[in-house]
Amino acid sequence: MPASEHYSHSVTLDRDKCKGCTNCIKRCPTEAIRVREGKATIIEQRCIDCGECIRVCPYHAKVARTDPLATINRFKHRIALPAPTLYGQFKKLQSIDRILWGLKNIGFDAVFEVALGADVVSYYTKKLMAEGKQLKKPLISSACPAVVRLIQVRFPELLEHIIDIQSPMEVAARIAKDQYCEQTGADPKDVGVFFITPCAAKMTSIRAPLSVEKSAVDGAISILEMYGLLSSQLSRPEADDEVPQQKASFLGVSWANAGGESIASGCEATLAVDGVDNVIRVLEEIENGNLNDLDFFEALACNGGCVGGPLVFENGYVAKNRIRKLAEGLERREMDADLMEEYLREYDIRSEKPIKPKAVMQLDDNLAVALKKMEMMEKLTKELPGLDCGSCGAPSCQALAEDIVRGQAVEMDCIFKMREKVQSLAQQMIDLSNMQNL
């Protein structure tokens, strides 16, 4: 990876806990993991920080690196950006305002709903669709950073389909900081904005932004870390000074669940798919030109949407139902069109830079050499048993063949090839012994 493209991943490996099993290599959607010398290794260029390996590792050797709550103390002023998923973590939550006030009580000076940022993004998406501009159909949501990185790695031809809008997190961060500084006179350099995240991919998108030059978010704290602190706040009686804070519409809050963005987009021909394997199958269909009648594709790497993220406390299905009920309670709160227009006048929420493909599948910079390696790889794949057992430390026989061509593995890493070699050598020894006895 060129130095300019290097960034710190949020999904990391604890080698001391790794037992060298093959659960992670079989589940990684970009074949970014290998097991070598009894330990897993993560190929940084391929990793999209989706967190699938975190879910399936029985030894908890894969971990998501986020910011501890104490990080907010680096700033004189602190703003919390709660993902709408946070609201689904708590039993019998009667009001989203209770969460917003709880965040203030544990150390934040202000709170701005990412759900309101989702409202802005949805409103702008509607405008783009209504204007009928030359848009590459189907439009693919830019909200899930794991999906965007998946497209970078495996489906670079589809990058032009990704909608040219910043994520709700980035939109909310920019508005939140500007409003806070305007209201308090604080120096922007003294204001830290922190996202309360359900996934590791959001943390990576802060450190290595996809569609902006520099993220407006200063850090990400996992929902897991915030859960206990907020639970203790919710057990307290409501204070007299707790005036309503919540402004997002039911549509913005519904973004936490799969399908929420599709409904909010206002498009008729939409498709919402959750779970990275399901997303891959649909992207393959789009790549093959089989979904040209589709206007909008909402793709979410986690099962159930953000409620199924690897850094949440509550079961995704339970949280999904709670979010649905909360959204129903806000059903009469539609998007404030005047407020949306005001935000769009003040903020350009379009992407600041194009999302470029990552040439991680490229075998060599020299085309002639790459073609020769491709031929060698195809030949090796045919010679391997095709069982995709993972015993070699690669997720498939084709992946092992690629590793061999790249000089990162040898043919004898395949236990079946090794067995054939041992049997051949044993037979040669027998034949040699028989010849000596003649």
Side-chain angles (χ1 to χ4, degrees), residues 172-188:
R174 292 178 61 193
I175 297 172
K177 183 175 283 191
D178 282 0
Q179 285 188 349
Y180 184 84
C181 291
E182 183 179 336
Q183 293 167 3
T184 65
D187 187 328

Side-chain angles (χ1 to χ4, degrees), residues 362-381:
Q362 186 175 312
L363 293 173
D364 198 279
D365 292 335
N366 185 299
L367 181 58
V369 174
L371 289 172
K372 190 172 182 179
K373 287 184 176 181
M374 179 64 75
E375 292 176 6
M376 190 187 309
M377 180 177 153
E378 291 175 354
K379 181 175 181 293
L380 282 168
T381 302

Side-chain angles (χ1 to χ4, degrees), residues 36-53:
R36 298 283 183 257
E37 299 179 358
K39 298 289 184 181
T41 60
I42 299 175
I43 304 171
E44 287 193 7
Q45 298 94 321
R46 290 176 180 258
C47 178
I48 60 174
D49 293 283
C50 63
E52 282 299 304
C53 56

Side-chain angles (χ1 to χ4, degrees), residues 132-269:
K133 292 182 177 179
Q134 290 288 89
L135 301 172
K136 195 75 173 179
K137 299 289 185 67
L139 287 176
I140 300 175
S141 168
S142 61
C144 178
V147 169
V148 175
R149 294 194 193 279
L150 172 68
I151 295 172
Q152 277 186 302
V153 172
R154 289 190 56 172
F155 303 94
E157 302 87 354
L158 300 182
L159 285 172
E160 59 184 341
H161 287 259
I162 297 175
I163 194 164
D164 185 28
I165 303 178
Q166 296 175 31
S167 71
M169 177 187 74
E170 289 292 342
V171 173
R174 292 178 61 193
I175 297 172
K177 183 175 283 191
D178 282 0
Q179 285 188 349
Y180 184 84
C181 291
E182 183 179 336
Q183 293 167 3
T184 65
D187 187 328
K189 290 185 290 188
D190 294 331
V191 180
V193 181
F194 293 87
F195 180 58
I196 314 301
T197 182
C199 74
K202 292 288 189 183
M203 184 75 203
T204 304
S205 69
I206 294 169
R207 292 171 175 161
L210 288 162
S211 61
V212 295
E213 296 295 340
K214 184 180 185 302
S215 176
V217 187
D218 297 290
I221 303 165
S222 76
I223 286 177
L224 278 172
E225 180 167 355
M226 299 297 295
Y227 177 80
L229 292 168
L230 284 172
S231 293
S232 64
Q233 290 295 324
L234 294 177
S235 64
R236 297 181 178 183
E238 188 170 346
D240 294 335
D241 61 348
E242 290 189 12
V243 295
Q245 301 281 305
Q246 203 264 328
K247 296 179 180 178
S249 76
F250 75 97
L251 291 170
V253 173
S254 295
W255 267 59
N257 292 341
E261 182 184 3
S262 294
I263 295 171
S265 72
C267 302
E268 292 185 4

Side-chain angles (χ1 to χ4, degrees), residues 62-81:
K62 310 297 189 304
V63 293
R65 188 169 53 198
T66 55
D67 293 310
L69 179 59
T71 306
I72 70 174
N73 295 325
R74 294 191 291 113
F75 294 89
K76 184 177 180 181
H77 307 274
R78 308 113 180 191
I79 303 175
L81 301 179

